[in-house]
Amino acid sequence: MSTRPTKDQLAAAHNTTIPDVIAPDLDVLFCGINPGLYSGVLKQHFARPGNRFWPALHAGGFTPRRYRPSEQEQLLDLGLGITNVVARTTARADELTGDELREGGKLLVAKVLEYRPKWLAVVGITAYRTAFGFPKAQVGPQEPRIGDSLVWVLPNPSGLNAHWTPAGLGAEFGRLRAASRDRRNR
C-alpha cells in the first residue's frame, strides 16, 4: 500500500494484530509497546510517519541506511527483530490497561525464552515499568535478565515523546548497539 490509510481502514484496524519479525538467536529483539492503527493497516511495525524508530535504528548504527517499515523483514539478515509487549493495535498506547501490559510482559518473557535473543530492547520505559513490575527502572541496561537474554530499555520513539530529540534517540540506540557488539565479541 503506497497511499496513506483511509479513516475507514484505520477504524477497521483497531484491535487487530501484526506478525512479529522474529527468529531464534537474534542479536537484538526490539519490543514496541503495541502497534498503532497505521501499523495495523500496513502490517508493518513502527509504520506511522513521524515515528522515529527507523531513523534512530540507523543513527544508532544498527542499519547501514535508514530502512522503511516495508523493509522490516530485512532486519532478520542483520540479526534484529521486532515484537510488542501487547499485540493488539490501538490509536494510542494509553488505551492499554495495566493488566494488558502485565499479561503482555508474561507472554514476552515466554517469547524471549523460546527465541533466545542476546538482547531484548523494550522501546518505552513506562510500558517496561508496568509490564515487568520495575516502577523505578530507567532508560538503559536493566539488571534482571530473561533467561540468558540481557534487557535494555530504550525511549519511546513516538513523535509524541517530545523530550527525546532525534539525536538523543540515536545516541541511546547507539549505546545499545555498542553493548550488543561487546556481547557478540565475547
Side-chain angles (χ1 to χ4, degrees):
M1 173 180 293
S2 60
T3 60
R4 292 183 181 261
T6 66
K7 193 177 206 179
D8 289 343
Q9 288 172 317
L10 291 170
H14 205 271
N15 292 322
T16 61
T17 60
I18 63 176
D20 290 338
V21 176
I22 195 166
D25 304 313
L26 295 169
D27 291 328
V28 181
L29 177 60
F30 291 94
C31 179
I33 300 166
N34 76 306
L37 299 180
Y38 208 101
S39 289
V41 172
L42 298 179
K43 301 296 185 202
Q44 299 166 0
H45 295 272
F46 301 103
R48 184 172 193 78
N51 189 296
R52 301 172 297 170
F53 174 80
W54 297 100
L57 199 64
H58 175 61
F62 283 102
T63 58
R65 61 177 173 75
R66 182 175 165 182
Y67 282 31
R68 295 181 308 274
S70 62
E71 298 174 296
Q72 65 187 11
E73 295 295 327
Q74 293 178 31
L75 292 178
L76 295 173
D77 295 334
L78 301 174
L80 308 174
I82 306 175
T83 189
N84 291 286
V85 176
V86 175
R88 79 176 179 99
T89 60
T90 60
R92 294 175 51 106
D94 62 8
E95 293 177 39
L96 303 173
T97 67
D99 286 343
E100 276 183 291
L101 288 167
R102 285 184 286 279
E103 181 60 28
K106 291 175 191 171
L107 295 171
L108 181 58
V109 166
K111 192 177 294 185
V112 169
L113 291 172
E114 177 183 352
Y115 285 94
R116 305 168 319 278
K118 292 174 186 67
W119 286 93
L120 170 68
V122 179
V123 184
I125 186 69
T126 303
Y128 175 79
R129 289 173 177 162
T130 303
F132 291 95
F134 297 112
K136 296 185 189 242
Q138 298 297 314
V139 167
Q142 305 302 304
E143 189 60 38
R145 292 180 181 216
I146 300 173
D148 291 331
S149 300
L150 298 169
V151 179
W152 193 289
V153 176
L154 291 165
N156 185 339
S158 167
L160 299 175
N161 187 8
H163 62 274
W164 278 90
T165 64
L169 286 168
E172 193 58 38
F173 274 65
R175 285 182 59 217
L176 170 59
R177 177 68 175 145
S180 70
R181 282 186 180 147
D182 287 347
R183 182 153 195 226
R184 187 173 356 132
N185 294 331
R186 288 184 188 168

